[in-house]
Structures are given as C-alpha cells and as structure tokens.
C-alpha cells in the first residue's frame, strides 16, 4: 500500500486498481485469441508502461518475449513537443517477428507514430499497438490502437506507471493530482527546462 503522504496528493481516483486488473485481463484474452499459435514480442515503452506490461504479460498465455525502448522528448513535462529520440533501443532483432508495442497513454500520438515508424523499418512480421489509456482530444498524429484499455478525457493523470515529475508511478490506480501539487511540480519542471535539461519521456 502506498503511504498517506502520496495519497494526500491525489484529488480523485479515475480508474480503480480493480477496474485496471479486469480490463488488463480482458486485453490479455483478446491478444491470446488474436495471436494463437504465434510467438510474440512485447515492446514496452519506458518508463510509463512498466506496470502495464508486467500485468499484461501475465495475462497472456502464449510464448512471449519482453523488450523495452526508452524515448526522450524535449518539452514541458505535461505536454508533448513531438520531438522524440531513442535513448534506449531494443536488444532484440525484430525482423520477421510479431511485435506488440505496449504504451501507457496516447496523447498527441506523436511518440507512438515515431516508434511505429522506426520499428516498421526493421521488417517485423506484424506490428501492433496496445495502449492502456487514450486521450483522443489531443491527437495530432494518426495512430491506430489495436488494443486499448480505456479512453479518458483530456486531463493529466498519474499512477500505475504514469508520472508527474517522476513521482506517483507507484500508485496502483490511475488518479488525478490535486491542482496545487501540479502547480508546484510544474514550476519545478519549468525551472529545469530553463536550465536546458532534458525532460525524460516515459
Ligand atoms: P504523445 O506523444 O503526446 O502521445 O505522448 C505520450 C506520452 O506522454 C506518454 O507515453 C506519457 O509518457 C506522456 N503523457 C501524456 N499524457 C500524460 C498524462 O496524463 N500523465 C502522464 N504522462 C502523460
Ligand atoms: Mg510513455
């Protein structure tokens, strides 16, 4: 259980631990049905997809490998700039393999569009996307989500792998931060930005 210190920062629980568990189980079932007889590679996008990929992998009763990519984007911590680069590439050669990208949340879609394009050049047998959350409102790049956990309104969420200024990833649910926390952390992030530092993606 996460301490009161962290829970005090949360205004609302948007998606409960139980709702996530149920939905991840359903997604796993869908993926098993679709990939039956095949071997797949789950590609998690660090760090946000950490919790999701672990739970999803356990819900998929098929032979599978897990690999990770890490992406970095310039820009404010709550808004994607669309400028992306790979900071950690896959260890696996995905040529001729069935690849399923696992992402925490799709906002503008620019991150996933970039990852999809990069991986497509490596000639996988198939390439699909599984995202836990979708904020459709903000979409700038057209990306098809083959599997989706939940569509949510355009608001900043934390928990279950999703962070704000690197905090709150350890919450078991998806929640909304109290506005004052958000303001504090935003001020901090802006200060770092003015210093010219990278905001790690994830
Ligand atoms: P996109 O390129 O705009 O689709 O950005 C997607 C990435 O931005 C996600 O993988 C997250 O790392 C981050 N992100 C977008 N919205 C949120 C949010 O509400 N909470 C935490 N991270 C977010
Ligand atoms: Mg992410």
């Amino acid at each position: 259980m996460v301490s009161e210190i962290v829970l005090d920062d949360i205004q609302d629980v948007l998606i409960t631990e139980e709702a996530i568990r149920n939905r991840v189980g359903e997604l796993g079932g869908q993926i098993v049905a679709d990939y039956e007889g095949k071997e797949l590679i789950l590609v998690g996008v660090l760090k946000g997809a950490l919790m999701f990929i672990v739970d999803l992998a356990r819900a998929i009763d098929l032979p599978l490998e897990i690999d990770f990519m890490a992406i970095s984007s310039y820009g404010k911590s709550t808004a994607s700039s669309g400028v992306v680069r790979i900071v950690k590439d896959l260890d696996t050669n995905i040529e001729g393999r069935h690849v399923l990208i696992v992402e925490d949340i799709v906002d503008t879609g620019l991150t996933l569009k970039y990852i999809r394009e990069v991986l497509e050049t490596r000639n996988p047998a198939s390439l699909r996307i599984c995202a836990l959350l979708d904020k459709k409102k903000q979409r700038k790049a057209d990306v098809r989500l083959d599997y989706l956990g939940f569509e949510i309104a355009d608001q900043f969420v934390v928990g279950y792998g999703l962070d704000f200024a690197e905090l709150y990833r350890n919450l078991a649910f998806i929640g909304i931060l109290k506005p004052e926390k958000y303001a504090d952390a935003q001020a901090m992030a802006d200060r770092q930005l003015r210093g010219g530092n990278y905001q790690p993606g994830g």
Side-chain angles (χ1 to χ4, degrees):
M1 194 61 221
V2 177
S3 74
E4 294 294 322
I5 296 165
V6 173
L7 287 179
D8 269 356
D9 294 354
I10 301 299
Q11 177 165 282
D12 275 314
V13 176
L14 190 65
I15 307 172
T16 64
E17 185 175 359
E18 193 194 357
I20 295 171
R21 195 185 315 117
N22 291 339
R23 188 70 190 117
V24 170
E26 286 172 5
L27 289 173
Q30 232 179 299
I31 291 165
V32 169
D34 291 353
Y35 286 88
E36 213 192 320
K38 294 176 180 146
E39 205 179 299
L40 79 156
I41 305 178
L42 300 185
V43 169
V45 185
L46 293 172
K47 306 171 201 173
L50 260 182
M51 310 288 178
F52 182 37
I53 196 172
V54 167
D55 287 343
L56 185 68
R58 287 185 290 195
I60 301 174
D61 185 18
L62 288 176
L64 65 76
E65 291 179 32
I66 299 177
D67 205 343
F68 293 100
M69 278 182 103
I71 301 296
S72 179
S73 58
Y74 284 107
K76 285 186 200 161
S77 52
T78 56
S80 297
S81 61
V83 184
V84 211
R85 70 181 183 107
I86 297 174
V87 293
K88 188 234 170 279
D89 205 336
L90 298 177
D91 298 326
T92 322
N93 178 359
I94 59 166
E95 189 174 348
R97 312 287 307 272
H98 295 285
V99 176
L100 181 59
I101 301 168
V102 180
E103 175 64 307
D104 52 358
I105 185 166
V106 192
D107 191 13
T108 63
L110 291 167
T111 306
L112 267 180
K113 181 175 186 277
Y114 174 77
I115 294 173
R116 175 182 255 288
E117 281 171 4
V118 167
L119 296 188
E120 239 154 26
T121 64
R122 302 177 187 179
N123 301 317
S126 69
L127 184 59
R128 287 184 178 180
I129 297 174
C130 177
L132 179 67
L133 304 173
D134 184 10
K135 286 198 239 181
K136 270 210 178 118
K137 273 258 171 61
Q138 289 298 314
R139 199 68 98 253
K140 286 182 191 158
D142 188 29
V143 279
R144 206 186 89 191
L145 305 180
D146 302 281
Y147 305 96
L148 173 66
F150 304 90
E151 191 177 323
I152 62 168
D154 179 26
Q155 55 192 340
F156 197 81
V157 294
V158 295
Y160 196 66
L162 289 125
D163 75 305
F164 188 84
E166 291 301 319
L167 291 174
Y168 310 106
R169 294 192 198 275
N170 54 332
L171 294 173
F173 56 86
I174 306 280
I176 299 161
L177 269 188
K178 284 182 182 163
E180 67 263 29
K181 287 295 152 193
Y182 181 88
D184 288 354
Q186 186 62 62
M188 236 164 66
D190 287 345
R191 254 204 314 280
Q192 277 168 11
L193 265 183
R194 280 199 298 276
N197 289 339
Y198 260 121
Q199 288 300 304

